Each structure stands twice: as C-alpha cells, then as structure tokens.
Amino acid sequence: MHALAGYKTQSEDTSIESELVLFNLLRSKNTVERARLVRRANRKCQQYALLGIQHDFPNASKHEIRQHYIRRRSWQARDTYITNPNEELMLEDSLWLAVKIAQIFDRFAIAYYVGGSVASSLQGEVRATEDLDLVADLTRSQAEHLIDTMSGEFYISDVAIADALAGRTSSFNIIHQATIEKADIFILRGDAFARSKMARRQLYTSSEEPDMAFYLCSAEDIILQKLVWLKMTKGESQKQWRDILGVLKLQGENLDFSYLWQWADIIGVAEALPQALTEAGLYN
C-alpha cells in the first residue's frame, strides 16, 4: 500500500503503512460495526471518568458519584439544570440519544440531521464524542410540542428555544436527565448552504438494529462545515482538522468532489481544501 506525497497520518506515532491498514479495516465495517466502534469509544471515556471518581472518592454514595460525574462532563456548570438529582446514573451515549431525539422529532414532522463529531465519527475516524449536535428546521408550534413532550425526562428550556427561534442565539440545549447526555440543537438558517445540507441529509439505518434510524449530515457537508468551524477558530482546533482528514480518508473516491469544490468556493473555505485533500492522500 502506498500513499501520495503529502499524506499526513492522524497521529504522529502512527506510520503511514499502519494507518492505511487501519482505514482499510474501517472501510470494511458495515453500519452496525461502525456504530459499535463509536459506542465503545464513548463507553471507555465514561468508564475512565467513573474509575477516576471511585479512586478520588472511595466512600462516595451513588448520589455523590452521580454529582461528581455531572461535574466532570464538559458542560459541568450546567449541573444545576438537572431536576432529578437523586436519580441513579444510567450510562448511554450520543448514538442512543440521537435515536431517542429522532423518534420525537419524527413524531412532530421536524426536519433535522445529526452533524458534528457524531457524523464525522460514523463517516470517518472513530472517536469519543462529548455532545450530540443536531440541526433542526423548527417552528414555534413544533417547539411547543417538544416542550410538552420532553419536559421531565429531559431538561428543555422554553426561554432558550424562544431565543434560538428569534435569532438571539443559534442553538438551545436538551439534556437527558437519567444519562446526563446532552444535545445541542441548532436552528436551521435560511442561507443556501444550510438548505443544501438539509436537502442532502441521509437516513442512517441498520437492518440488524431496526430502532437505530436517524438522519445524518452527508460526508461532503460535514467536511465543509468543519472547514467553516476551523476558519472561525482561526485554525486552532486540531480536533476539527483531524475529523476532516478522517472523513476524507475513509470516504475517498466515493466523495462528490465537484460538490466539495463548488461549495468550498461559495462559503470561503476553498483555500484550505487543497491542503486537506493532500494530507488525506486524495490530491497531489
């Protein structure tokens, strides 16, 4: 196996030959197997967090362990949002939450797709994900149904939703009380790129797990969106760049390169795309 000049591995301690083997193995996995890899990565992080808590607080009660776990999540300041503090901790992950929210959104005909690191992990290099990102085309009446349906089992704020719908913020949070899993719901914007991403969403399904079904951002669009995020952070997020390369390397020639180049130019990330393609071994 050979890589084009300019190819860059995901990690400095991985050789090019070893990485090509790894991505070939990833490419051979079906939907169910890739989902299991993502779940395993998330579960390891959860288990490490709990082991750390048990080490630091050996005499902690279940309630105290749950509180420490909440505070160790990346959004620790939001532990005050949890309205059932005595509930026993139940471990789940972002894919589980994606399915649960998708079923509710489908009930009220809310168009949505899963993006962010969940999308890039299912379509590229697998890694643990902190939060679930969804983009939703949400109306005020649909928002009222969501609040009525989800309140109690979830933390959901009518004020935060109203601010997002009015354009004062770009998103609102949903937190599942028992699992402490969080979703960031971004309101669909009206620009052409936002509409294109929604139109090109893909239904992610599994014949082996019929309940696992949700709409996923296309591989091309997650690459473009992460290039936008990277530009907004002035290239400081190495995690975003690694996600971009992971999707490019795994999808390879299956990508719609005409679409990538067209929209990269329109949204102002065309300068970064050649470097990404080169480091992914798709352009020389």
Side-chain angles (χ1 to χ4, degrees), residues 192-193 196 200 220-221 224 227 256-271 273 277:
F193 183 46
S196 176
R200 298 179 77 253
E220 293 84 3
D221 288 320
L224 291 166
L227 284 173
D256 185 339
F257 291 99
S258 295
Y259 180 89
L260 276 175
W261 283 110
Q262 175 190 358
W263 279 102
D265 184 57
I266 293 172
I267 63 179
V269 295
E271 187 175 341
L273 186 55
L277 292 171

Side-chain angles (χ1 to χ4, degrees), residues 40 45 170 178 210 229 242:
R40 185 184 303 167
C45 289
S170 61
W229 290 335
R242 182 166 176 163

